[in-house]
Amino acid sequence: MTQQKAGLLGGAPTGPDQDPPAPRPADGPAEGRGAAARVLVRAAHHADAWTSSWSRRRSLAALWVVWVLTRIVMVYLLVQDDIGVSNVASEVNFLYPRWSEQLAGGSYPVGDVTWQYPPGAGLLFLFPSALPFLDYFAAFLLLTLAADAVITLALARPGRLLAGAWLWAAALPLLLNLPHGRFDIQVTALAVLALLSGTRRPRLGGAFAALGALIKVWPLLTLLGAERGRSSRDAWLSAVASAAALLTVLALCFTDSLGFLRQQGARGVQIESLGGTVLALLRAAGEPIRIESRYGALEFSGAQVDLVAQLSLMLTAAAFGWLMLWRGRASRWTAATPFDAALAAVLLFTVTSRVISPQYMVWLLGLAAVCLTSRHTTQRPVAAVLLAATAVTALAFPTYYLDVIQGTALGNTLMVVRNGLLVAAVLLSCHRLWRATASTPPAIPGHS
């Protein structure tokens, strides 16, 4: 009876061989305070989560307000097109429509020295024609703004730090009317999507990288930082398959799809490149160096130009060798390593190139923004340097581009500062990437 009664009351049954259960302490002030403390802790956690969520929603709202306002100003500046050299919109108004007409006829531009892009770029120039209710300029601008918004949305996805989205939204306007007058935002969108999707879905990331590479080659560099193993193999195989499939379709639909290689291989040293800055200083010192309009850009010709061009190619080869060395030595990966490596790689190939067009800063800002979405990134100081380089770039083109062309003290100073900042950015980026992933970690005291 005693056992049954104890069981009914919820206590342990007692018997001759068992001790009676310890009496439950009566509820008192101490236990009441403990329960109240637990309730307060849970309430504090809920309050923190709600506050954090509310703060993020407010930041997102502010982000989109800034995005809309700045893009309105940027579009206005592009339509007015009266800053500096006042020809930023000429490519969208005249060059791209001409290419679109040739592509609609089933051929890539033949004998056109300004056509220097892989065959996938043709699809971008054809797309505005698919919107007959808009003229070419408006349709192209709509496509560019859509790609701009896609980048912002991708950077601001839940689980990512908003610093990246803020960098993109607030720093791109530093380039004034240039970004939406070119097609680099569309290419940058593919590179951003390749990086952000590649961490969990490497095949999708590889496909995005391949699409970007078929428009401008550099997005393929986003795959260099993938951690060794199955994910890396899947990404590269997907990229190869996607590129092969699209190239086959384009080759069947258009003629002369690889004609761009002739123009690209004949490029010289552009006046805004690092080598161009060296030549500009030599010209200021009295060397017989002049500027010519070739292949749709302003390039140097004359004494020392061939030597500088060869040195640029050697530096590019050395950059590729360093990247292969880094990948072979890297032993520590974080969630941000693919992002950091992509920024370092594109910086290396940009700085060592014979051509550094001002719109290349769009690529670098996009990749820096991806880095800032992760708290593990090593590239925050690099992003700050790129921010300064972007502001100087807008002064060099289009604001004071005539000074750059004429080689005045102001023009040469702007190029020295801008390219000096890019050199500082690439050295800092590579150094921090190497230290975080490939250098020997410091020994922990007390451990052998």
Side-chain angles (χ1 to χ4, degrees), residues 340 343-344 347 379 382 424-434:
D340 296 352
L343 178 58
L347 267 169
Q379 303 293 301
V382 180
V426 71
L427 294 177
L428 184 61
S429 177
C430 293
H431 173 69
R432 293 179 68 85
L433 177 66
W434 183 276

Side-chain angles (χ1 to χ4, degrees), residues 245-336:
L246 184 56
L247 277 174
T248 300
V249 171
L250 293 174
L252 291 174
C253 296
F254 302 93
T255 60
D256 202 36
S257 59
L258 298 180
F260 76 99
L261 293 173
R262 292 188 295 272
Q263 284 74 254
Q264 191 60 246
R267 293 296 298 270
V269 180
Q270 189 174 341
I271 65 172
E272 293 131 296
S273 66
L274 181 61
T277 300
V278 174
L279 291 170
L281 295 177
L282 290 175
R283 182 178 66 161
E287 287 288 334
I289 299 172
R290 59 188 181 277
I291 292 177
E292 295 181 358
S293 178
R294 297 185 301 192
Y295 301 97
L298 295 176
E299 299 180 351
F300 282 112
S301 65
Q304 312 300 330
V305 174
D306 289 340
L307 175 61
V308 170
Q310 292 171 3
L311 288 175
S312 295
L313 291 174
M314 292 172 62
L315 285 173
T316 299
F320 181 77
W322 185 89
L323 286 170
M324 294 301 98
L325 176 64
W326 166 78
R327 185 161 177 82
R329 290 285 301 274
S331 58
R332 301 186 300 279
W333 258 266
T334 69

Side-chain angles (χ1 to χ4, degrees), residues 51-67 152 156 160-163 165-166 169:
T51 301
S52 177
S53 176
W54 173 245
S55 176
R56 184 179 178 88
R57 285 197 295 269
R58 286 192 301 174
S59 185
L60 278 172
L63 171 72
W64 283 109
V65 168
V66 169
W67 187 91
T152 310
R160 295 169 184 155
L161 299 182
L162 287 180
W166 272 108

Side-chain angles (χ1 to χ4, degrees), residues 10 40 164 212 322 346 395 397 407:
L40 288 175
W322 185 89
V346 175
L395 292 176
F397 183 91

Side-chain angles (χ1 to χ4, degrees), residues 97-110 115 119 122-123 126 129 248-259:
R98 188 181 79 210
W99 286 343
S100 179
E101 290 177 3
Q102 292 176 289
L103 289 161
S107 173
Y108 284 93
V110 180
W115 177 259
L123 299 179
L126 273 174
S129 302
T248 300
V249 171
L250 293 174
L252 291 174
C253 296
F254 302 93
T255 60
D256 202 36
S257 59
L258 298 180

Side-chain angles (χ1 to χ4, degrees), residues 78-79 88-104 109 115 117 120-145 180-183 186:
L78 181 63
V79 172
V88 173
S90 62
E91 294 196 6
V92 184
N93 282 321
F94 305 109
L95 184 61
Y96 297 171
R98 188 181 79 210
W99 286 343
S100 179
E101 290 177 3
Q102 292 176 289
L103 289 161
W115 177 259
Y117 308 108
L123 299 179
L124 285 181
F125 300 126
L126 273 174
F127 179 82
S129 302
L131 302 175
F133 50 89
L134 295 173
D135 61 26
Y136 192 93
F137 180 89
F140 184 88
L141 190 56
L142 180 63
L143 172 63
T144 310
L145 287 169
H180 296 92
R182 301 291 187 271
F183 61 101
Q186 292 90 316

